[in-house]
Amino acid sequence: MASVMEDPTLERHFKGHKDAVTCADFNPNRKQLASGSLDKNLMIWNLAPKARAFQFVGHQDVITGVQFSPSGNLVASSSKDRTVRLWTPSMKGESTVFKAHTAAVRSVAFSHDGQRLVTASDDKSVKVWSVHRQCFIYSLNQHTNWVRCARFSPDGRIIASCGDDRTVRLWDTSTKHCINCLTDCGGSVTFVDFNSSGTCIASSGADSTLKIWDLRTNKLIQHYRVHSAGINSFSFHPSNNYVISGSNDGTIKILDLLEGRLIYTLHGHKGAVITVAFSRAGDVFASGGADSQVLLWKTNFDSRSYQDVLLQHSQRSTPDPPPHLSDIHPRGPHLHHPQPTAIQVSPAVKDTRSTEPHVIQLGQSVHGNMTFHGNPREVDEVINGGQKKKRKEGKKKKDCGGEGGPPPTPIKLQYSTGSHWSQHMALTVTDCTLFKMHMYRKIFMLLHLLYDVTLVQPLITAFGSASKNEDTCCW
């Protein structure tokens, strides 16, 4: 059993989604974490303390899958709105829409060279797309029910897919043929993925099992039943020595694949755990659940050197060679029922690093172009190059409506969002001698950011002057 120093710990929690979190993935640059939700929004969380989060708006239904490209410059998301979007994770919030599926898209994943995407859908098909040409390439169509997940092998030569037809299928990407069908599944298969070496695949199911196959022998080599409800997601550690899984039973399980046993049970979510994901380096992992939270955990248990692992195995009574996941021979199913010997980790300690991040919303305007949406404080930060200006409080002036002064005279600013004035926004400000010309400019820049005016060159026709009643400044 691992020592206390090797226990995983809760690092941070992220709150911003308004409904269950369905998917998550780390940016390879180790600076960002993406998550999708039933609230239809894609969130990009910056892992730096007190950094702002970005909310990408565009999908019209639940987001089911998300993944960063290998370079980290793009984010792909899939949705029940039958589309896949390719986002640029920047302030522009731009996205490209891929349409070819005729039903909900359940998953999306990049190839390891970043040139292709693979998607799985309720239309019973697996589709492959070109990222560079931004188009559909071909479809794989032998599943007989909804396809829940599809992934590329590390070398890109094989695609693994699974679904409600209780099968895991392997496809040759050069011939487009199904080269193997694994049917030893007790129910709907919810998730499938390759280990980092590509020698094994694992699948999880609604029957609460996690199974690992050796692709060279096409045999089941490990079979775990550690959850008390269906497994929604799992993730291989980059070393291939560990797997984490999330389940409807509300727990996260950590499996030691070398020992073939459960080593940790984590309790952090209130309700089902829908998604789990290791970072590319494996030093941290994330989980998302029905409680709308994203939790960031520090791995810790992978800190043991491989020499320590070999020493531990050399002390066993059996003279087995140094174990590797790819060298474990079939010896029947490993039904690991929950036992009190597994360490139960509950994040009851105070989380001092998490703060409520400022969320900037990025999405589509009524004109269909990508535009920036945010509150005035955040927009002010963008206008001033990201530097927050301290607000200085001064004494109230009489001519600005202070004590003893005359009541403020309103100035109405009308703003056109098109070639005509049928659509406008009115902003009322206080008329006073201290309302300088640069304030008008700042308001214009604020309106320019809040409304899509990329097609219209705004003209300042008049700033107007305060009167006893109301003056109008037209932009």
Side-chain angles (χ1 to χ4, degrees), residues 159-172:
I159 291 174
S161 61
C162 65
D164 287 1
D165 59 3
R166 302 187 177 189
T167 66
V168 175
R169 291 183 178 271
L170 301 177
W171 310 82
D172 187 322

Side-chain angles (χ1 to χ4, degrees), residues 332-462:
H334 303 279
L335 299 178
H336 295 274
H337 297 287
Q339 298 176 357
T341 55
I343 296 178
Q344 306 280 328
V345 178
S346 179
V349 296
K350 184 177 180 181
D351 179 9
T352 58
R353 296 188 57 186
S354 294
T355 57
E356 297 294 335
H358 296 293
V359 177
I360 299 178
Q361 187 183 79
L362 305 164
Q364 290 181 314
S365 70
V366 293
H367 298 288
N369 296 323
M370 304 312 295
T371 183
F372 173 93
H373 299 283
N375 59 54
R377 181 179 178 184
E378 298 296 347
V379 175
D380 181 66
E381 292 179 27
V382 176
I383 293 175
N384 294 287
Q387 298 180 351
K388 297 183 179 178
K389 291 188 175 181
K390 297 182 179 179
R391 298 180 178 179
K392 298 181 179 179
E393 296 183 357
K395 295 182 180 180
K396 295 182 179 180
K397 303 297 181 180
K398 290 185 178 181
D399 58 351
C400 289
E403 291 186 11
T409 302
I411 296 178
K412 185 177 182 182
L413 306 179
Q414 289 186 335
Y415 178 75
S416 172
T417 60
S419 59
H420 53 83
W421 294 90
S422 60
Q423 297 179 346
H424 68 275
M425 188 190 82
L427 174 66
T428 300
V429 298
T430 300
D431 174 28
C432 64
T433 58
L434 295 180
F435 195 81
K436 301 294 184 181
M437 188 70 73
H438 72 274
M439 293 302 296
Y440 287 99
R441 178 175 175 272
K442 178 172 288 190
I443 291 176
F444 167 71
M445 296 179 72
L446 170 64
L447 295 174
H448 182 76
L449 289 173
L450 291 175
Y451 284 79
D452 184 8
V453 290
T454 57
L455 302 179
V456 179
Q457 177 64 38
L459 298 176
I460 303 177
T461 58

Side-chain angles (χ1 to χ4, degrees), residues 94-125:
E94 298 173 338
S95 68
T96 302
V97 182
F98 293 71
K99 295 182 179 179
H101 285 292
T102 58
V105 186
R106 294 288 179 174
S107 78
V108 61
F110 281 92
S111 60
H112 284 245
D113 60 5
Q115 298 300 310
R116 291 171 294 168
L117 285 173
V118 61
T119 56
S121 171
D122 286 357
D123 62 12
K124 306 177 185 178
S125 73

Side-chain angles (χ1 to χ4, degrees), residues 143-146 148 161-169 181-190 203 206-207 211 213:
H143 279 284
T144 59
N145 208 331
W146 293 355
R148 295 284 182 174
S161 61
C162 65
D164 287 1
D165 59 3
R166 302 187 177 189
T167 66
V168 175
R169 291 183 178 271
C181 182
L182 307 174
T183 58
D184 189 14
C185 305
S188 174
V189 188
T190 57
S203 68
D207 61 352
K211 300 177 181 180
W213 283 272

Side-chain angles (χ1 to χ4, degrees), residues 34-321:
S35 62
S37 169
L38 294 181
D39 63 12
K40 309 175 187 178
N41 295 326
L42 172 68
M43 297 290 295
I44 303 293
W45 311 94
N46 289 301
L47 301 184
K50 299 182 180 180
R52 294 174 295 181
F54 299 98
Q55 182 184 73
F56 292 85
V57 180
H59 281 294
Q60 304 301 310
D61 208 335
V62 173
I63 295 179
T64 57
V66 64
Q67 192 175 85
F68 277 97
S69 65
S71 65
N73 296 327
L74 296 171
V75 180
S77 61
S78 58
S79 171
K80 284 188 176 181
D81 65 7
R82 305 181 182 184
T83 69
V84 174
R85 284 181 179 261
L86 205 57
W87 305 84
T88 302
S90 66
M91 292 289 291
K92 294 182 179 180
E94 298 173 338
S95 68
T96 302
V97 182
F98 293 71
K99 295 182 179 179
H101 285 292
T102 58
V105 186
R106 294 288 179 174
S107 78
V108 61
F110 281 92
S111 60
H112 284 245
D113 60 5
Q115 298 300 310
R116 291 171 294 168
L117 285 173
V118 61
T119 56
S121 171
D122 286 357
D123 62 12
K124 306 177 185 178
S125 73
V126 175
K127 296 188 184 298
V128 177
W129 315 72
S130 170
V131 175
H132 177 69
R133 291 184 292 163
Q134 298 182 355
C135 65
F136 163 76
I137 304 177
Y138 61 87
S139 184
L140 306 172
N141 299 295
Q142 291 189 26
H143 279 284
T144 59
N145 208 331
W146 293 355
V147 188
R148 295 284 182 174
C149 183
R151 291 289 189 270
F152 280 105
S153 63
D155 59 12
R157 295 186 301 172
I158 299 175
I159 291 174
S161 61
C162 65
D164 287 1
D165 59 3
R166 302 187 177 189
T167 66
V168 175
R169 291 183 178 271
L170 301 177
W171 310 82
D172 187 322
T173 56
S174 59
T175 65
K176 319 298 187 298
H177 293 156
C178 179
I179 57 177
N180 199 2
C181 182
L182 307 174
T183 58
D184 189 14
C185 305
S188 174
V189 188
T190 57
F191 200 85
V192 67
D193 201 4
F194 292 85
N195 66 351
S196 61
S197 63
T199 59
C200 296
I201 62 168
S203 68
S204 62
D207 61 352
S208 72
T209 65
L210 189 146
K211 300 177 181 180
I212 301 176
W213 283 272
D214 188 329
L215 295 182
R216 296 162 298 182
T217 61
N218 292 326
K219 292 182 179 180
L220 178 67
I221 58 174
Q222 290 188 335
H223 179 186
Y224 297 92
R225 191 188 298 274
V226 294
H227 287 285
S228 59
I231 300 175
N232 297 308
S233 176
F234 64 84
S235 179
F236 277 103
H237 188 272
S239 68
N240 294 331
N241 295 337
Y242 306 97
V243 163
I244 55 175
S245 59
S247 167
N248 289 332
D249 63 12
T251 66
I252 302 167
K253 303 283 187 178
I254 302 175
L255 302 172
D256 184 333
L257 301 182
L258 296 179
E259 287 285 340
R261 66 185 181 92
L262 172 68
I263 56 174
Y264 291 104
T265 298
L266 307 183
H267 300 270
H269 290 279
K270 298 178 181 178
V273 181
I274 302 175
T275 182
V276 292
F278 271 114
S279 65
R280 299 299 195 275
D283 56 331
V284 293
F285 61 94
S287 61
D291 56 3
S292 307
Q293 289 194 90
V294 178
L295 302 183
L296 181 67
W297 306 79
K298 189 172 182 181
T299 304
N300 293 333
F301 55 79
D302 66 341
S303 60
R304 290 182 297 173
S305 67
Y306 187 60
Q307 293 301 321
D308 293 337
V309 176
L310 292 179
L311 178 61
Q312 177 184 354
H313 283 276
S314 67
Q315 297 173 351
R316 298 187 305 175
S317 59
T318 56
D320 292 339

